[in-house]
Amino acid sequence: MKKILLFVCGILIAYPIIAQENRLTPKPVTTSQIFHDIEKLGFLGTVLYVAAHPDDENTRLISYLANERMARTAYLSLTRGDGGQNLIGPQLREQLGMIRTQELLEARNIDGGEQFFTRANDFGYSKHPDETIEIWNKTQVMEDVVRIIRQYRPDIIINRFDHRTPGSTHGHHTTSAIFSVEAFKAAGDKNAFGNQLKTLETWQPSRLFFNTSWWFYGSQEAFEQADKKNLLAINSNPFYDYKGLSNHEIAALSRSEHKSQGFGSSGDRSPQKEYIEFIDGDFPTDKSDLFSGINTTWTRVKGGKKIKDLHENLVSNYDFKNPEASIPSLLELRSNISKIKNDHWKTIKLKEIDHILNNILGIYMVASTRNEQIAIGNESDVFIEITNRSKIDFSIEFIPSNLVEIKENNIVLSEYESKQLTGKLKVPSYFETTTPYYLKQKGTIGMYVVNNPEQIGKPELDSPFLVRGIIKIKDQAIPFKIPVIHKRTDPVRGEVREPLQITPEVSLSIDNPVFIFTQSQKQEITVNVHAFKNFRNAKLELCVPTDWKVKPEHITIDDLLKGDQKQYNFIVTAPSQASKGLASAILTVNDKSYTQEVISINYEHIPNQQWVRNNEVQLVQPGITNFANSVAYINGAGDQVGQAIAAMGSQVSFFDPSEVPANLSDYDAVVIGIRAFNVYKQEMAALKDILDTYVASGGTLIMQYNTNRGIGDNELGPLDITLSRKRVTDENAAVTFLAPDHRIINQPNRITNKDFEGWVQERGLYFPEKWNDNFTPILGMNDAGEPMTKGSLLVGKYGDGHIVYTGLSLFRELPAGVSGAYKLLANMLSLSIDKEPIKQQDEERKF
């Protein structure tokens, strides 16, 4: 949305410079908002909210604390949500973590909070903290939590989950609370993580709470009867006249930014309460105020009494129709704040007051390029626009930079004057590409690697390409920094701002993450070459394992011009025996080799993201036979299972649920994507008769997992299925063959226990707990200490055809190149196809 300057009924709308450091499209600011920000200058209190994943946070409470109480409020999410599912696209694991990181930043931009992370990797669902701690590095995660507490210095910590109930919820959830309880004491202990004390000081928060609700008590009735002597009840839904929204409306907007998880929410306007249970520290003197007994005024700082008086005078004399009248008082307040010795609060409040001054002055400042991507070693023009939209003159002095050179300096801007400047952005040859800092090194299943302790906790790193300077007004110098961004005008969206991305000199990529081969099969593999500079006499190779063959050995590229996007084909032949390995492309120019791939993630609700990594794909010869020639794939929430089926040799037609043809008889199998019944409930209900007719006529219908939320027993095809929340999270859990003679595990490929080796993240999730008698349960499995589940794979006869329902995580295993998953899927697809059985060597099974 384009922002302009308006004076209407005393409302000033301006471009705040400080907002550009966070989200690229800042929000308009009213004089009422400015007054609220001035009020906030007088509150010196801080809250840290702690949980495990993006979307775990209570946005109602975060918004209340940030807006109603005007406290510095931050959410510490131990992970970036890499192990979740994605309802808006195919990205999983690292790329999903990148999306969810940005969704959290968008949420905080709405509710007013800040955002932190640890190095913990979301490895998927965990049933108990013991399992979580076994995979995470407890020392490192604890060290991160303590570091963030010592840096942020919260007076209050609030846990989203209960540390006393292990095994009752996701293991990550309980672990986040356990670590928070331990860190509450450790942060103030000079013997805990003493290496941090070279740059930080110990910090002891005043009190620790648990954000409880009736849900944690099992029912509303149980909650009403519970002892509430340690509970604080907060009226959490005030109306903010300066925003024109209730607190829960703001919280709903924030919550709705978790679009990849399908958490769109409607705002509530009725009176509501949040309950906070006291856990540790000093009990509040007033149970209606979680800050009671904590000094949150300027008098907590040595020499703060004068600042408190100046602030109160500033608030009482604010003129909503003429906010510029407050500038002399703001400058006096700023001068006094700059003299205090408490560097912590001085830094925080100077930033806040500079933000207010910029808003009152209505300063518009943007630095942009016409390029969204610039290669290492290249340069680009920078266009800088500065506008003074106030009645007060000021000057700007730019700070010299080796990365961004500006031709002019010492600019004076009079009332409503605008300047257009130019500069040059240079990317040194030694520079690093734009990629998430926590993905630069390969981590473990449970932890990311971050060697620089100054980076730990940050959602992302600031852009290194900044226009820095000083705004001189009256007798004071106000520093500023704005990132150089890419700005363009879209015919539909209007002005679009995106981060500036630094790329390698060339990107090499291969479309499919996995290529599946039958014995000695040949496949064409295409290497995509995207040049970000000019190349001459380049040699392109596709490197494959030693038992595989590739032709040609290399391709000579005479000229490759900047901006070229070309494709080159190689023929790869699989060995006759089962084999698995990696293939990667390499471009060599004058003895310099290039292997990196640029992955772009583009969604309108978050800034564009880039991940640069070494290109590689998997080559898998699992020794499979697939009888299905044609498959219809009905898209669900987003997965790559259809692409995997195509890689197995089937012709795949993809349909959105609303586009499925009435006659499916030409297809050997119909496969429904993950969570299709959740995200396309009405459309899938409308397909019921079509799918029933297809199966009854001899087809095979394969349904992948759905969550049990809102799904009735008779909604998943013609035979009743009752979904549960049962899952097996141990990817190495033993598998028992419940129906060893069933065709689905014998033809055309014989499935054995070896086919369940090498699985990733989990066995499966949301297994059915009840099913129609026509279904046969095929596999049994369980996590340690739990009873066996039997609903991971069900096969039922219906008319002349077959219905398959599986909660097995094929959507994770197939992109990971798990051979056994391909063999099992080939058998599912081939269920209704009568061909001569294939003789195969008998192998051991667990019955």
Side-chain angles (χ1 to χ4, degrees):
M1 182 184 296
K2 188 175 182 180
K3 312 297 189 300
I4 58 177
L5 178 71
L6 294 174
F7 281 100
V8 181
C9 299
I11 295 178
L12 169 68
I13 298 179
Y15 251 126
I17 287 178
I18 198 165
Q20 290 180 328
E21 296 177 6
N22 301 315
R23 298 290 90 193
L24 296 180
T25 304
K27 297 172 287 189
V29 179
T30 66
T31 57
S32 295
Q33 177 69 57
I34 291 172
F35 178 69
H36 175 76
D37 292 342
I38 289 175
E39 284 186 305
K40 190 173 182 177
L41 283 173
F43 192 87
L44 280 65
T46 305
V47 181
L48 182 66
Y49 196 91
V50 181
H53 310 106
D55 74 41
D56 282 347
E57 81 276 25
N58 184 345
T59 56
R60 298 184 302 275
L61 191 54
I62 289 175
S63 178
Y64 169 84
L65 292 166
N67 295 292
E68 176 68 11
R69 294 310 315 271
M70 295 181 283
R72 292 174 67 234
T73 307
Y75 174 42
L76 169 56
S77 175
L78 267 58
T79 76
R80 296 174 186 264
D82 325 67
Q85 289 86 49
N86 185 358
L87 297 187
I88 61 174
Q91 296 89 358
L92 294 174
R93 294 302 313 154
E94 294 91 347
Q95 294 181 60
L96 178 58
M98 293 169 62
I99 292 171
R100 298 185 74 182
T101 295
Q102 294 301 315
E103 288 178 337
L104 272 178
L105 289 174
E106 293 294 335
R108 298 294 80 78
N109 192 46
I110 291 171
D111 60 36
E114 300 174 63
Q115 187 61 52
F116 298 110
F117 295 94
T118 73
R119 288 171 286 177
N121 190 341
D122 179 4
F123 56 83
Y125 192 86
S126 170
K127 293 181 177 178
H128 197 279
D130 290 348
E131 178 189 0
T132 301
I133 294 171
E134 188 176 312
I135 295 175
W136 286 350
N137 183 318
K138 179 180 179 179
T139 300
Q140 289 185 357
V141 181
M142 273 292 298
E143 182 178 16
D144 294 355
V145 176
V146 169
R147 175 180 293 277
I148 291 163
I149 292 173
R150 287 171 173 172
Q151 288 176 333
Y152 197 60
R153 298 187 183 184
D155 300 297
I156 294 169
I157 296 177
I158 303 176
N159 293 340
R160 183 62 176 125
F161 300 103
D162 192 344
H163 65 289
R164 300 160 296 192
T165 56
S168 63
T169 182
H170 195 324
H172 296 182
H173 292 169
T174 311
T175 304
S176 71
I178 292 171
F179 284 3
S180 178
V181 169
E182 293 183 17
F184 179 77
K185 294 293 189 184
D189 183 356
K190 65 180 181 180
N191 295 315
F193 306 106
N195 59 308
Q196 296 179 358
L197 301 181
K198 296 176 182 177
T199 55
L200 298 172
E201 296 179 355
T202 59
W203 179 257
Q204 181 56 60
S206 295
R207 55 189 64 137
L208 175 69
F209 293 102
F210 159 45
N211 183 194
T212 190
S213 72
W214 68 264
W215 186 87
F216 290 96
Y217 288 77
S219 68
Q220 186 70 46
E221 181 181 5
F223 178 66
E224 290 174 358
Q225 296 175 356
D227 181 2
K228 297 184 177 62
K229 65 180 180 182
N230 283 336
L231 264 61
L232 280 69
I234 296 171
N235 295 316
S236 65
N237 201 17
F239 176 73
Y240 304 128
D241 52 7
Y242 66 94
K243 289 180 178 287
L245 294 168
S246 70
N247 185 65
H248 284 202
E249 287 177 303
I250 295 171
L253 293 172
S254 173
R255 183 75 170 166
S256 297
E257 287 302 316
H258 295 294
K259 300 185 189 303
S260 68
Q261 306 305 297
F263 279 136
S265 179
S266 298
D268 191 322
R269 296 150 196 88
S270 61
Q272 299 287 335
K273 288 187 177 181
E274 285 290 334
Y275 292 92
I276 311 294
E277 181 183 354
F278 175 78
I279 299 297
D280 201 354
D282 301 325
F283 196 86
T285 55
D286 178 357
K287 287 184 66 175
S288 66
D289 180 7
L290 74 169
F291 275 103
S292 60
I294 299 173
N295 186 355
T296 58
T297 73
W298 273 104
T299 58
R300 76 182 292 173
V301 174
K302 185 177 181 180
K305 176 62 169 61
K306 182 179 180 180
I307 295 174
K308 182 175 182 290
D309 294 340
L310 289 171
H311 175 259
E312 290 174 350
N313 182 66
L314 174 65
V315 170
S316 62
N317 290 293
Y318 182 75
D319 185 346
F320 285 86
K321 292 185 177 181
N322 183 25
E324 289 181 10
S326 295
I327 287 181
S329 296
L330 281 165
L331 292 175
E332 183 182 7
L333 182 63
R334 188 182 190 279
S335 176
N336 279 270
I337 291 174
S338 66
K339 295 174 183 176
I340 65 173
K341 294 183 179 180
N342 188 308
D343 289 338
H344 176 71
W345 283 111
K346 175 166 53 177
T347 300
I348 292 166
K349 293 302 178 179
L350 284 178
K351 187 175 181 180
E352 289 180 10
I353 205 167
D354 290 349
H355 167 51
I356 294 168
L357 286 166
N358 285 327
N359 285 341
I360 292 177
L361 291 170
I363 298 172
Y364 175 93
M365 186 179 297
V366 63
S368 64
T369 75
R370 295 192 176 99
N371 306 298
E372 185 177 359
Q373 296 175 310
I374 303 176
I376 289 173
N378 286 4
E379 58 183 39
S380 174
D381 291 330
V382 175
F383 304 94
I384 303 163
E385 179 185 349
I386 311 171
T387 303
N388 176 8
R389 298 181 292 189
S390 72
K391 298 178 182 179
I392 298 176
D393 297 347
F394 58 82
S395 64
I396 290 180
E397 178 181 333
F398 295 106
I399 298 173
S401 166
N402 293 329
L403 300 179
V404 183
E405 297 178 358
I406 301 172
K407 296 179 181 179
E408 299 181 55
N409 209 339
N410 297 320
I411 308 299
V412 177
L413 286 138
S414 302
E415 176 182 351
Y416 298 113
E417 184 179 5
S418 183
K419 294 282 188 180
Q420 307 288 330
L421 310 176
T422 59
K424 188 72 70 175
L425 182 149
K426 298 180 180 179
V427 185
S429 57
Y430 60 81
F431 224 70
E432 291 187 339
T433 58
T434 303
T435 202
Y437 73 93
Y438 56 92
L439 294 178
K440 288 183 178 180
Q441 297 186 57
K442 187 174 180 60
T444 65
I445 187 175
M447 296 297 297
Y448 284 120
V449 175
V450 181
N451 292 323
N452 184 349
E454 297 301 315
Q455 296 175 349
I456 292 172
K458 294 183 177 182
E460 59 186 356
L461 300 185
D462 294 336
S463 169
F465 298 97
L466 299 170
V467 173
R468 297 177 182 267
I470 297 171
I471 298 172
K472 294 183 178 179
I473 176 172
K474 305 293 185 182
D475 61 342
Q476 294 199 43
I478 302 172
F480 70 85
K481 59 178 181 179
I482 56 172
V484 179
I485 62 171
H486 167 62
K487 185 162 73 77
R488 63 184 175 88
T489 301
D490 184 271
V492 175
R493 297 170 60 190
E495 182 176 285
V496 176
R497 299 178 173 212
E498 297 293 354
L500 176 64
Q501 314 283 9
I502 306 304
T503 70
E505 294 169 309
V506 64
S507 170
L508 307 175
S509 64
I510 303 170
D511 289 337
N512 295 327
V514 181
F515 289 85
I516 303 300
F517 293 72
T518 58
Q519 296 177 354
S520 302
Q521 179 189 2
K522 296 181 179 180
Q523 284 196 53
E524 185 176 77
I525 294 181
T526 300
V527 177
N528 305 295
V529 179
H530 185 179
F532 295 101
K533 63 172 285 187
N534 297 332
F535 289 95
R536 289 183 59 84
N537 300 321
K539 182 177 71 172
L540 180 66
E541 300 172 87
L542 183 66
C543 302
V544 299
T546 55
D547 56 339
W548 295 65
K549 297 179 181 179
V550 60
K551 288 187 178 181
E553 292 184 359
H554 69 268
I555 296 173
T556 300
I557 305 173
D558 294 329
D559 289 295
L560 197 59
L561 301 179
K562 179 181 178 180
D564 281 352
Q565 297 186 52
K566 296 185 177 181
Q567 296 181 327
Y568 300 91
N569 298 321
F570 294 86
I571 302 299
V572 175
T573 304
S576 57
Q577 71 280 4
S579 179
K580 179 178 177 180
L582 297 177
S584 60
I586 180 169
L587 187 78
T588 305
V589 184
N590 297 328
D591 296 327
K592 185 175 181 179
S593 296
Y594 301 90
T595 60
Q596 290 185 312
E597 166 187 20
V598 176
I599 296 173
S600 297
I601 301 175
N602 303 321
Y603 290 102
E604 288 189 10
H605 70 295
I606 59 174
N608 291 348
Q609 298 298 297
Q610 175 177 287
W611 181 23
V612 179
R613 66 177 185 182
N614 287 330
N615 80 86
E616 60 181 30
V617 298
Q618 294 199 65
L619 305 178
V620 182
Q621 203 286 67
I624 65 169
T625 300
N626 175 23
F627 287 161
N629 294 317
S630 59
V631 175
Y633 200 87
I634 301 176
N635 298 323
D639 57 64
Q640 295 180 314
V641 175
Q643 291 83 343
I645 295 172
M648 293 163 59
S650 300
Q651 294 293 319
V652 181
S653 300
F654 292 86
F655 300 102
D656 287 334
S658 60
E659 300 172 344
V660 175
N663 186 353
L664 295 168
S665 60
D666 289 338
Y667 296 100
D668 294 325
V670 174
V671 183
I672 300 177
I674 64 171
R675 296 185 70 174
F677 290 91
N678 295 127
V679 298
Y680 299 112
K681 190 176 180 68
Q682 293 181 349
E683 293 89 340
M684 292 305 300
L687 288 177
K688 184 171 175 37
D689 290 342
I690 294 174
L691 296 176
D692 289 1
T693 300
Y694 166 75
V695 179
S697 300
T700 295
L701 175 65
I702 302 171
M703 296 179 287
Q704 298 179 80
Y705 99 96
N706 289 268
T707 68
N708 62 349
R709 185 171 57 186
I711 299 296
D713 295 357
N714 61 350
E715 294 183 42
L716 299 174
L719 301 177
D720 286 0
I721 298 174
T722 302
L723 297 179
S724 73
R725 297 183 63 84
K726 294 178 181 178
R727 61 176 79 204
V728 175
T729 60
D730 181 358
E731 63 269 36
N732 299 310
V735 175
T736 298
F737 292 83
L738 303 174
D741 296 328
H742 199 286
R743 172 172 175 160
I744 200 168
I745 55 172
N746 288 282
Q747 293 297 325
N749 307 287
R750 183 169 175 78
I751 306 299
T752 72
N753 291 102
K754 288 185 178 181
D755 293 307
F756 292 94
E757 295 176 359
W759 283 49
V760 298
Q761 187 159 325
E762 62 200 359
R763 289 293 190 205
L765 64 172
Y766 289 95
F767 294 162
E769 61 183 356
K770 296 179 183 178
W771 46 84
N772 185 282
D773 290 341
N774 281 1
F775 279 114
T776 299
I778 305 299
L779 302 174
M781 57 187 68
N782 58 277
D783 284 320
E786 296 186 356
M788 178 182 291
T789 64
K790 298 183 179 181
S792 62
L793 178 60
L794 303 175
V795 182
K797 281 289 291 181
Y798 182 77
D800 294 330
H802 295 85
I803 301 169
V804 177
Y805 186 90
T806 181
L808 295 172
S809 297
L810 299 178
F811 70 100
R812 297 194 192 280
E813 312 312 321
L814 298 171
V818 178
S819 299
Y822 280 94
K823 290 174 68 175
L824 186 57
L825 178 58
N827 287 10
M828 297 181 197
L829 297 170
S830 305
L831 262 177
S832 296
I833 303 172
D834 290 325
K835 286 193 176 184
E836 188 70 23
I838 299 173
K839 293 183 179 180
Q840 297 175 329
Q841 183 179 356
D842 191 20
E843 295 183 65
E844 181 183 357
R845 288 177 176 171
K846 182 179 180 181
F847 299 147

